[in-house]
Amino acid sequence: MPIPSPMITVTRGRFGSTSAQVLEQVRAAGLSTRDEVVARSGLSVATVGRAVTALVEAGVLRERPDRIRSGAVGRPGVPVEIDPERYVVAGVHLGRRIATVALADLAGRVVAHETVRRSAGAPPDLPALSQVAASLLGSLPHRAPLSAGIVAPWLELGLDPAAHGRELADLTGLEVHTGDHIAAVAASEFLHRRHGTPGVTLYVYARDTIGFALAVAKGGMVEVSRVGSLTHFPTASPRACRCGRTGCLQVAAGDEAVVRAARAARKVSGTDIGSVYEAAEDPRVLGLLRDRARMLGTAAGVVRDMTAPDRVVLVGQAFTGCPPVLEDVLTSFKAGALTDVPVSFTRFGSGIQAIAASTVALAPVYDDPMGAVPRSASALERAQR
């Protein structure tokens, strides 16, 4: 199993194998002719032709003669796209109270997933989760798994990514990559915003875990840097933190903190953040959410000023779960020095855990698709028979 790295390589550009470069161009475009791949990649016509033929024969790409563009001059090329029906990757996301198991096609689209409740503080039951993956695979006949990924806020949960990655590899027979939760979320966001994102993109994530990651695009290669924690970012809150201080951001603005405050005010009876959002019409609850929005916006603005990125993406339901407080987030975010840095919100909702785990699982496929294909025999396939 690869040694866990604090970096997630999203694309390798010209430093990748020929098949990886071709696959990246097709993935980014969605649908592409060989000539278009040549123009964007700088590879020769012959090289692209051989790579596309090999990827089609391997089932990684498929030709779409029904999508030939009308009106083209000369003999039109047959476009190709990632084949969504031949292969999948398996992703496992470990949260504090919920584990998510997902299967995704080679374009990164989640095609099946299941969530499993787990006890806070308990070690993850990877044998049971691998069986969930096998069951999901059994619901998708004729698809073979190529690789797997396991994602978690490792430090927050006190878990060893290397040990759990090895265990999952032993259970599934697949090559397993690991990733930190926030870095994996950032990588997922970047992949789905592939065009028009050169330079440095800052991703700030907030839900139960609060932190940030940087995606750096240079020369066609993109890496998501080691995540930075905002757990103990100082606020004016009087709430006590396990570190011995008061006002740390996570105990003031994390989902658990907001639920606790709403329950203490006798405004909600539920135990998850969804119950708080549902009660947002109550002025007291809305006030709690607005206070959180301002704290998160301020923290994101400080990180923006420290890192000086080209753009900022705010990720996680702590930012997006309650639309009425988005303006509070933006007002606080725009205070500071670099107020002209563009900001946007995530395109993903509650499904981000499945998408993030699948993105990490795709790493060996995107690095070397032709090398990944022969490794499809696994315990997951045996389990479904």
Side-chain angles (χ1 to χ4, degrees):
M1 193 193 110
I3 297 174
S5 170
M7 308 287 288
I8 295 177
T9 301
V10 180
T11 61
R12 296 192 181 277
R14 59 187 177 86
F15 299 104
S17 65
T18 298
S19 60
Q21 292 183 61
V22 170
L23 179 61
E24 161 59 14
Q25 293 299 330
V26 175
R27 187 207 62 76
L31 191 73
S32 186
T33 66
R34 291 162 175 78
D35 287 344
E36 289 168 341
V37 173
V38 168
R40 289 194 298 264
S41 68
L43 298 170
S44 70
V45 173
T47 298
V48 169
R50 286 193 297 270
V52 169
T53 297
L55 289 167
V56 169
E57 290 177 351
V60 176
L61 299 180
R62 66 179 181 184
E63 294 188 321
R64 292 295 303 273
D66 58 312
R67 297 291 299 276
I68 292 177
R69 297 177 181 86
S70 60
V73 177
R75 183 179 179 181
V78 176
V80 293
E81 66 180 5
I82 291 179
D83 190 331
E85 298 176 352
R86 179 80 173 270
Y87 300 113
V88 292
V89 296
V92 175
H93 182 279
L94 302 175
R96 278 195 178 89
R97 295 179 176 82
I98 291 177
T100 302
V101 181
L103 299 181
D105 64 23
L106 299 192
R109 294 181 290 260
V110 174
V111 294
H113 74 281
E114 185 173 331
T115 57
V116 179
R117 290 208 167 268
R118 70 187 205 91
S119 300
D125 188 349
L126 291 185
L129 294 176
S130 66
Q131 286 298 314
V132 172
S135 177
L136 291 175
L137 188 61
S139 70
L140 299 170
H142 312 303
R143 299 204 193 201
L146 293 182
S147 56
I150 183 168
V151 169
W154 301 105
L155 289 176
E156 307 262 346
L157 298 182
L159 299 176
D160 180 355
H164 288 90
R166 286 193 296 270
E167 183 181 357
L168 188 62
D170 289 342
L171 288 165
T172 63
L174 297 170
E175 180 176 342
V176 175
H177 280 236
T178 65
D180 181 273
H181 166 66
I182 294 176
V185 168
S188 301
E189 278 282 340
F190 190 94
L191 277 176
H192 289 270
R193 296 174 183 252
R194 178 65 181 89
H195 290 299
T197 50
V200 178
T201 305
L202 167 65
Y203 297 92
V204 181
Y205 178 88
R207 195 174 180 184
D208 272 334
T209 303
I210 305 175
F212 68 93
L214 293 170
V216 181
K218 184 177 181 181
M221 186 171 183
V222 180
E223 289 185 328
V224 178
S225 69
R226 180 189 291 272
V227 67
S229 174
L230 293 174
T231 296
H232 302 292
F233 182 91
T235 75
S237 169
R239 293 174 187 164
C241 179
R242 64 180 184 275
C243 72
R245 299 180 299 170
T246 59
C248 294
L249 185 60
Q250 186 161 309
V251 296
D255 279 3
E256 187 176 333
V258 176
V259 172
R260 187 183 301 115
R263 285 174 60 85
R266 300 181 183 277
K267 296 298 181 180
V268 301
S269 58
T271 58
D272 60 45
I273 193 65
S275 63
V276 179
Y277 295 147
E278 290 172 2
E281 291 184 359
D282 183 288
R284 180 74 179 274
V285 175
L286 184 60
L288 291 172
L289 292 169
R290 292 191 67 188
D291 286 344
R292 171 166 81 159
R294 287 190 285 265
M295 284 188 279
L296 293 175
T298 297
V302 171
V303 176
R304 172 207 60 206
D305 290 350
M306 291 170 56
T307 56
D310 295 294
R311 67 198 61 81
V312 178
V313 182
L314 303 180
V315 187
Q317 288 174 292
F319 285 118
T320 61
C322 182
V325 304
L326 291 180
E327 192 58 39
D328 294 284
V329 172
L330 293 174
T331 298
S332 298
F333 174 81
K334 290 177 180 176
L338 304 179
T339 56
D340 58 341
V341 174
V343 59
S344 61
F345 291 92
T346 179
R347 64 181 59 195
F348 299 123
S350 59
I352 187 59
Q353 288 81 9
I355 295 169
S358 300
T359 295
V360 171
L362 282 164
V365 181
Y366 285 178
D367 279 353
D368 184 10
M370 294 306 298
V373 169
R375 293 194 293 271
S376 61
S378 70
L380 286 179
E381 288 180 291
R382 293 192 295 274
Q384 71 172 323
R385 291 199 287 262

